[in-house]
Amino acid sequence: MTRSVTPRFGLFVLLLGGLAVFGLLPADAASNAVCDKTSVRVVWEGNDWTSSEKATAMTGFNVWEWDVDRYDGSQPVTISETSGSQIVNVDWSWQVSSSYGSGNCNTGQIVFNTQHRQEIRDNPAEFKKLAAHEMGHAIGLDHVHRTDSLGGDNPPVMWACGWNDGGTYRLTQDDHAAMQLQSDVSGAYRSATANSSFEEDGGYMEFWGIKSGSITYRVAGGVDGTPYYLKFLHNSAESYIFSTTRLIDDPTIDWVKARANYIKDVSTDTGNVKVMLRVRNYTVSTPDCGYPERRSGSYSFAAARYFPRYCTPTMTWEYCDTSGENPPDVAAEEGGIEVRVYVYNRMFRADGSRALVGVDRVRVLVNY
């Protein structure tokens, strides 16, 4: 992975890379607007590609189709060897020995390092992950933090130093959030929340936490044309659903806030929902891959700032925004901000029992 272009919005970049084991690219989770690619045709450069190499690389490339749904359930990108309006040229070429490959969205190129060709060939699992990583760069994504925001599971594909790190080529929460930043735009804002519309097929609650015994299920027909939305019931006023994203800092982040769309379940229900944003800065220490500028080891958090808002649902879809803030700058190589969106259900039936509420497109928004 390496770094190569400066993205259009440096956003709270879930990404931000430096020269590392995998490749070069921009410095943010979302993208470079002129770089965003949604219809990709892979062109194999040179005449020495084997059919096995192509098949393995395509398996990794296509993870961006298979694993990600946009807020309306559509694919954010299509990747093919036979069609597509935006070309990505893929080649073997000599690079510095510390790099296994690179991706560049500005030039539409992916390069795998000839120095490591035999090693890459001999390890198909790592080859798929490398291919997925570099295609992420080629379609406009940058690096993410080593520790995924969903509880530190497998390292994200878009982590800068991923060769032989034990991760897989399947995308984690922060990989999904990086693609959301690229493809989910609301006016001046972009979404920093993976699966904000509960479109992840059978895993409709994927990337969401549940506090204190919520009952949730998915219903057809969400806001703004989304195929599905979430209904949930909480057992107490202190229970909620939430989603967290850890972002590498970037000075072009102007503002963060939270938004939720909501709808009443039954016309006689009363009460409200609480939508809340939590923001906290973090700093990291241990350098990665031997590069002191790539710090994503142990981390510590500053005091959290909370921004709550209470909103009253009706029988039509409405939304409310929280207030927010322009986060204090942190050196991009040394930390960033962690943003979390919460939704509390405080709705009641006419008989006083707790009521379901519908929510959709629940996300942290970033203006940059």
Side-chain angles (χ1 to χ4, degrees):
M1 311 158 159
T2 33
R3 212 171 107 100
S4 51
V5 295
T6 301
R8 136 181 145 190
F9 301 130
L11 184 94
F12 53 55
V13 327
L14 247 135
L15 310 53
L16 201 70
L19 180 56
V21 175
F22 270 1
L24 279 155
L25 196 71
D28 68 36
S31 61
N32 181 339
V34 296
C35 251
D36 293 352
K37 290 179 170 60
T38 59
S39 175
V40 170
R41 179 162 67 92
V42 172
V43 174
W44 306 101
E45 295 290 328
N47 56 11
D48 60 342
W49 281 91
T50 68
S51 59
S52 176
E53 287 174 344
K54 289 181 179 180
T56 303
M58 283 301 298
T59 300
F61 294 160
N62 282 321
V63 74
W64 295 104
E65 285 192 351
W66 300 338
D67 268 15
V68 183
D69 289 326
R70 293 183 69 237
Y71 67 87
D72 61 359
S74 65
Q75 292 175 315
V77 62
T78 58
I79 301 169
S80 169
E81 295 175 274
T82 58
S83 63
S85 59
Q86 298 160 302
I87 303 297
V88 171
N89 295 294
V90 185
D91 200 1
W92 291 98
S93 184
W94 194 266
Q95 296 184 318
V96 296
S97 60
S98 59
S99 176
Y100 280 70
S102 63
N104 189 312
C105 60
N106 285 328
T107 62
Q109 287 184 309
I110 291 174
V111 175
F112 298 113
N113 192 351
T114 302
Q115 289 196 71
H116 295 292
R117 188 167 188 172
Q118 192 60 54
E119 182 184 358
I120 292 170
R121 279 174 168 170
D122 290 345
N123 195 334
E126 293 296 319
F127 191 3
K128 292 173 188 175
K129 186 172 61 175
L130 175 62
H133 180 99
E134 303 310 345
M135 181 56 76
H137 284 326
I139 60 179
L141 307 185
D142 204 348
H143 290 140
V144 304
H145 193 280
R146 176 178 184 172
T147 304
D148 188 66
S149 299
L150 187 68
D153 50 1
N154 287 330
V157 164
M158 294 309 297
W159 175 47
C161 314
W163 186 264
N164 260 338
D165 64 355
T168 75
Y169 76 99
R170 309 304 296 190
L171 305 181
T172 70
Q173 171 176 308
D174 286 347
D175 296 315
H176 280 251
M179 181 58 93
Q180 286 296 109
L181 283 166
Q182 178 178 356
S183 61
D184 185 0
V185 182
S186 299
Y189 288 88
R190 293 192 174 224
S191 171
T193 304
N195 191 14
S196 67
S197 294
F198 313 103
E199 305 302 336
E200 295 295 327
D201 302 318
Y204 64 91
M205 281 295 290
E206 191 174 11
F207 312 134
W208 285 85
I210 305 171
K211 168 76 172 178
S212 300
S214 300
I215 300 169
T216 69
Y217 61 97
R218 191 169 70 162
V219 182
V223 69
D224 297 336
T226 63
Y228 301 100
Y229 68 99
L230 181 74
K231 280 191 177 182
F232 69 97
L233 175 70
H234 283 159
N235 295 334
S236 78
E238 299 308 314
S239 54
Y240 49 81
I241 60 171
F242 65 95
S243 184
T244 311
T245 307
R246 193 166 301 131
L247 305 163
I248 294 174
D249 192 33
D250 186 283
T252 60
I253 301 174
D254 292 333
W255 197 256
V256 292
K257 63 180 181 180
R259 173 178 294 179
N261 289 265
Y262 50 84
I263 191 167
K264 189 185 287 190
D265 187 43
V266 175
S267 62
T268 54
D269 291 347
T270 59
N272 58 48
V273 295
K274 181 171 80 169
V275 182
M276 186 164 66
L277 170 71
R278 185 187 76 183
V279 182
R280 55 182 184 171
N281 285 69
Y282 69 88
T283 54
V284 292
S285 54
T286 310
D288 274 334
C289 314
Y291 293 92
E293 73 276 13
R294 288 296 306 137
R295 297 175 180 272
S296 55
S298 59
Y299 52 88
S300 57
F301 292 104
R305 287 91 66 196
Y306 293 90
F307 302 90
R309 174 117 182 248
Y310 295 86
C311 303
T312 303
T314 68
M315 291 302 293
T316 59
W317 282 108
E318 299 173 37
Y319 71 84
C320 67
D321 291 344
T322 68
S323 57
E325 68 169 45
N326 184 348
D329 287 344
V330 174
E333 298 83 5
E334 297 179 0
I337 60 171
E338 182 188 77
V339 289
R340 174 178 286 186
V341 57
Y342 301 80
V343 180
Y344 294 76
N345 177 359
R346 296 166 180 254
M347 297 296 292
F348 295 88
R349 298 288 191 215
D351 64 4
S353 62
R354 290 196 166 270
L356 291 158
V357 71
V359 293
D360 199 19
R361 296 198 72 186
V362 180
R363 62 228 191 264
V364 171
L365 296 178
V366 178
N367 184 311
Y368 48 140

